[in-house]
């Protein structure tokens, strides 16, 4: 037995279910909350309670939104002719941080993986096809992971989309910024060679 | 590089053994079950942090209690290093020059090649043994190859999972995995082909030394699918993709992928005859030794120094003449080797200077 009061044990148990949090971390968080003012704890509880009620998937791109379009889709300055396909909402944040992309997104909700029984019907592939077909999309950028599943998904989507849209592109693979050739593994270096470009 | 001092304690039957191997050949002799192979195991453990006899290192801890400890001094191009490996229960600690380090930082100070009965399966066993031989050799020279291999395996597993779940009819999906598999397979194919060619070249001289002048040992990479292999390293990807497409319905019925790098093999022939099918025990043993010496040469080409060679049951299936030729070759190449035998008289028969060490009931005695 843990020797914790049942109310404490309940919170620890719930926190343990979160990714990256083990029992010790969960206990530390709970002890912190026990010392914090009641108002702070109530604010956290209220914020958590709102989460499933208020947060929805954007009806256009399936990024997170609070009812209606997400902040990216509702921004009139964004270029709707370029759509960047990513795996998860977290990837939208990563691309947004770069400030290098001004189009819209499409969140697939995963990648193809027969081992995990994930096929195209489990992803937002039909929605993407509809979007490309009905809208004025000039380019689809496939920004999926460079692992086996991400690349197979990219191949699948590119074949599906090529007849429907003028340009289907993918992110370049090559040297990480600031990298030294000597310390770059040969797989990355080989891909950087394959993707070399003119000055 | 050379191993100048080897200490082993509480590893299987060994008790506080301290041995200064010769920089040339050291012959460990003694009756069965005295601890000769365990001394080689200790040297290998010192080099790799692993045993070549068991994947569960705790099995090597002396019955009745550990901790197991092996230690040694290595000198090579990088200077002198003290190494130690301690196994206590399930925990393994590695130390270099007195400082505890992780496995990745530890490796590379002492390189050991081992030739034991287990490793001889490379010739008599199934093709998977020979693929592992190739892959281990490649990864030894270019560690990033393991990632390439992992990608290929993963793409294959995914494609097979799709086929097993009855997805063969979903053409677009199968073709997406074909594409990915073909790209990953081409990278594996290129590496294996290149390594096999280098090995074939490195093997010629050791093979002549082991077999004598009359018999020629050849090694050839047999890629799958065969037709794609003929397309050459650059045509492989396209040819394999075509083979996957034309084999799709067969693969769908089988529920797995019938062709690809997971079906590669390495063919060893003596005078044009397949050793695996027609080789005598002595020929197979000689061929395995030649392969190992070829690997040793590749290693030296790449790193500029010899690894330490550990040969268990050195004279098994070798007549005295052939054993003498192997020992002579090792001496000519300035290889440091530790050899075990149950025949005390072997040293005299080999005609090569060597340090003789007698192993009796877990202890060593200079002889």
């Amino acid at each position: 037995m843990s020797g914790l009061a049942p109310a404490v044990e309940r919170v620890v148990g719930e926190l343990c279910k979160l990714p990256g949090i083990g029992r010790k971390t969960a206990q530390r968080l709970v002890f912190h909350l026990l010392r914090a003012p009641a108002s702070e704890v109530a604010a956290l509880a209220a914020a958590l309670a709102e989460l499933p009620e208020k947060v929805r998937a954007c009806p256009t791109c399936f990024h997170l939104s609070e009812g209606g379009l997400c902040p990216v889709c509702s921004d009139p300055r964004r270029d709707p002719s370029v759509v960047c396909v990513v795996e998860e909402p977290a990837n939208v944040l990563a691309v947004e941080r770069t400030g290098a992309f001004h189009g819209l997104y499409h969140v697939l909700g995963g990648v193809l993986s027969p081992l995990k029984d994930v096929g195209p019907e489990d992803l937002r592939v039909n929605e993407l096809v509809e979007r490309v077909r009905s809208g004025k999309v000039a380019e689809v950028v496939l920004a999926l992971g460079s692992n086996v599943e991400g690349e197979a998904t990219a191949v699948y989507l590119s074949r599906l989309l090529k007849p429907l849209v003028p340009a289907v592109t993918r992110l370049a693979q090559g040297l990480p910024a600031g990298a030294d050739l000597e310390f770059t593994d040969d797989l990355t270096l080989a891909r950087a060679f394959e993707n070399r470009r003119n000055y | 590089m050379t191993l100048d001092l080897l200490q082993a304690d509480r590893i299987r039957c060994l008790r506080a053994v301290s041995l200064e191997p010769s920089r040339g050949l050291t012959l460990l002799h003694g009756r069965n079950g005295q601890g000769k192979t365990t001394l080689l195991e200790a040297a290998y453990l010192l080099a790799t942090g692993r045993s070549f006899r068991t994947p569960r290192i705790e099995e090597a801890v002396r019955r009745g209690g550990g901790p197991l400890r092996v230690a040694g001094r290595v000198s090579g191009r990088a200077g002198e290093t003290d190494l130690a490996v301690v196994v206590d229960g399930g925990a393994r600690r590695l130390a270099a020059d007195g400082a505890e380090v992780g496995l990745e930082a530890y490796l590379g100070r002492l390189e050991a090649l081992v030739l034991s009965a287990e490793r001889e399966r490379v010739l008599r066993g199934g093709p998977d043994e020979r693929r592992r031989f190739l892959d281990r050799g490649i990864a030894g020279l270019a560690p990033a190859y393991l990632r390439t291999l992992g990608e290929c395996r993963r793409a294959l597993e995914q494609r097979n999972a799709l086929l097993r779940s009855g997805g063969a009819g979903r053409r677009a999906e199968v073709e997406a995995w074909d594409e990915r598999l073909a790209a990953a397979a081409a990278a594996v194919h290129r590496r294996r082909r290149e390594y096999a060619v280098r090995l074939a070249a490195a093997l010629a001289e050791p093979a002549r030394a082991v077999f004598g002048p009359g018999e020629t040992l050849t090694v050839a990479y047999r890629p799958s699918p065969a037709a794609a292999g003929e397309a050459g390293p650059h045509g492989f990807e396209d040819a394999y993709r075509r083979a996957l497409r034309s084999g799709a319905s067969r693969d769908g019925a089988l529920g797995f992928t019938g062709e690809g790098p997971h079906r590669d093999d390495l063919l060893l022939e003596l005078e044009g005859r397949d050793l695996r099918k027609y080789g005598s025990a002595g020929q197979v043993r000689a061929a395995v030794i030649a392969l190992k010496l070829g690997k040793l040469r590749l290693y030296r080409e790449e790193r500029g120094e010899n690894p330490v060679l550990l040969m268990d049951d050195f004279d098994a299936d070798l007549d005295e003449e052939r054993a003498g030729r192997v020992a002579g070759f090792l001496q000519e190449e300035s290889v440091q080797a530790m050899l075990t035998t149950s025949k005390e008289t072997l040293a005299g028969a080999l005609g090569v200077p060597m340090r003789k060490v007698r192993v009796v009931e877990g202890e060593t005695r200079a002889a």
Side-chain angles (χ1 to χ4, degrees):
Chain A
M1 283 313 288
S2 62
L4 292 173
V8 175
E9 181 57 44
R10 253 198 321 275
V11 184
V12 169
E14 291 302 321
L15 287 174
C16 280
K17 294 179 190 165
L18 299 176
I21 298 207
R23 256 199 94 74
K24 270 190 176 169
T25 309
Q27 283 177 11
R28 219 173 64 231
L29 293 173
V30 172
F31 287 133
H32 173 83
L33 289 173
L34 287 172
R35 281 194 300 270
S39 60
E40 237 176 68
V41 180
L44 176 63
L48 286 175
E50 257 183 21
L51 211 53
E53 280 171 32
K54 288 210 170 163
V55 178
R56 295 272 179 277
C58 169
T60 306
C61 75
F62 302 95
H63 184 39
L64 304 179
S65 78
E66 247 182 73
L69 293 176
C70 72
V72 180
C73 287
S74 53
D75 184 342
R77 289 166 302 179
R78 306 291 295 216
D79 178 0
S81 72
V82 189
V83 173
C84 175
V85 179
V86 296
E87 193 179 329
E88 299 290 346
N91 304 137
V92 173
L93 303 183
V95 179
E96 282 297 285
R97 269 202 307 275
T98 67
F101 179 67
H102 307 288
L104 301 179
Y105 293 94
H106 188 90
V107 179
L108 270 188
V111 283
L112 293 178
S113 176
L115 284 170
K116 291 183 186 158
D117 209 14
V118 179
E121 62 284 355
D122 303 303
L123 306 173
R124 293 176 192 119
V125 173
N126 283 335
E127 290 88 338
L128 176 63
V129 170
E130 280 314 307
R131 210 175 148 187
V132 169
R133 209 174 253 156
S134 61
K136 300 176 191 72
V137 179
E139 180 182 356
V140 174
V141 184
L142 299 171
L144 301 168
S146 78
N147 52 21
V148 170
E149 289 77 15
E151 288 187 356
T153 309
V155 171
Y156 177 80
L157 291 178
S158 68
R159 294 189 170 188
L160 201 60
L161 296 173
K162 265 183 189 161
L164 308 174
V165 60
V168 179
T169 57
R170 49 172 283 178
L171 294 189
Q173 295 190 340
L175 291 180
D180 194 323
L181 280 199
E182 196 186 342
F183 301 115
T184 305
D185 71 86
D186 36 2
L187 201 58
T188 306
L189 199 52
R191 286 191 182 150
F193 260 102
E194 282 161 21
N195 297 327
R196 68 186 183 276
R197 51 195 264 184
N198 287 323
Y199 259 113
Chain B
M1 61 181 69
T2 52
L3 178 62
D4 297 332
L5 174 69
L6 175 65
Q7 296 174 321
D9 190 30
R10 293 168 200 264
I11 170 166
R12 299 189 196 271
C13 63
L14 295 187
R15 281 175 304 200
V17 168
S18 181
L19 175 71
E20 289 179 23
S22 153
R23 291 206 161 179
L25 307 186
T26 302
L27 189 72
L28 304 168
H29 63 90
R31 301 206 326 266
N32 289 337
Q34 303 299 301
K36 303 183 299 288
T37 304
T38 305
L39 266 169
L40 299 190
E41 188 181 20
Y44 190 80
L45 180 60
L46 195 63
T48 63
R50 291 182 297 137
S51 163
F52 60 82
R53 292 162 109 181
T54 168
R56 296 160 49 85
I57 184 64
E58 59 273 20
E59 285 174 8
V61 178
R62 184 186 169 88
R63 209 178 292 166
L68 174 165
R69 182 172 186 278
V70 295
R73 195 172 59 245
V74 178
S75 53
R77 292 196 313 159
E80 277 206 349
T81 315
D82 286 319
L83 298 176
V85 177
V86 175
V87 180
D88 198 356
R92 177 189 65 188
R93 291 197 309 276
L94 309 164
D97 288 323
E100 204 171 316
V101 290
L103 182 64
E104 215 163 299
Y106 180 85
L107 294 178
R109 292 179 171 83
L110 172 62
E111 294 288 345
L113 283 184
V114 66
L115 194 62
S116 66
E118 287 86 352
R119 293 286 155 94
E120 288 184 19
R121 284 196 305 249
V122 67
L123 234 162
R124 290 286 198 202
D128 54 320
E129 297 284 349
R130 287 178 289 285
R131 285 192 293 275
R132 204 170 305 144
F133 171 82
L134 279 176
D135 292 338
R136 217 186 279 141
I138 301 166
L141 302 179
Y145 172 69
L146 290 178
R147 234 175 72 196
T148 308
L149 197 61
E151 281 193 1
C152 184
R153 207 168 281 158
R154 181 79 181 170
L156 182 68
E157 281 173 7
Q158 290 281 22
R159 186 180 192 263
N160 287 346
L162 182 61
L163 295 173
R164 263 199 315 277
S165 66
R170 288 145 71 170
R171 288 295 296 255
E173 255 180 280
V174 175
E175 282 181 24
W177 289 107
D178 287 1
E179 190 77 26
R180 196 53 220 123
L181 176 58
V188 170
H189 172 85
R190 223 170 17 240
R191 287 293 202 165
R192 284 184 180 166
R193 172 184 292 267
E194 182 193 293
Y195 185 80
V197 168
R198 288 182 61 187
L199 183 67
L203 188 70
E205 219 177 302
R208 255 197 311 280
V210 176
F211 282 101
E215 295 176 295
T216 311
L217 177 70
T218 53
V219 43
Y221 178 44
R222 286 280 174 270
S224 164
E230 280 158 23
H234 298 292
F236 180 86
E237 186 171 338
D238 282 337
Y240 185 36
R241 204 181 292 122
R242 279 197 299 277
L244 285 171
R245 200 162 303 160
S246 64
S249 59
R250 175 205 59 203
D251 288 355
L254 292 170
F256 63 86
T257 305
E259 294 176 306
H262 58 294
R263 288 294 174 84
D264 282 358
D265 202 350
L266 195 66
L267 180 67
L268 276 113
E269 291 182 329
L270 192 64
E271 291 299 299
R273 285 164 68 83
D274 186 349
L275 265 174
R276 188 172 170 230
K277 290 187 190 137
Y278 305 109
S280 70
Q283 286 171 332
V284 166
R285 165 88 179 157
V288 173
I289 292 174
L291 267 183
K292 200 51 84 165
L293 296 177
K295 211 168 181 176
L296 183 135
R297 281 216 156 169
L298 279 187
Y299 181 90
R300 189 174 61 202
E301 275 174 26
E302 196 82 10
R303 304 283 171 85
E305 59 186 342
N306 276 323
V308 176
L309 187 62
L310 309 170
M311 291 177 77
D312 194 24
D313 216 351
F314 173 69
D315 52 327
D317 294 324
L318 294 185
D319 57 38
E320 279 183 3
E321 189 192 334
R322 192 168 273 168
R325 280 204 301 265
V326 175
F329 182 81
L330 294 176
Q331 191 201 12
E332 273 169 39
E333 299 274 297
S334 307
V335 176
Q336 186 189 35
M338 289 168 67
L339 320 170
T340 74
T341 179
S342 55
K343 285 202 221 84
E344 193 182 345
T345 53
L346 183 69
L350 292 179
V352 173
M354 52 179 66
R355 181 169 301 171
K356 288 200 292 174
V357 176
R358 195 169 140 86
V359 185
V360 184
E361 290 181 0
E363 292 173 2
T364 55
R365 290 172 200 171

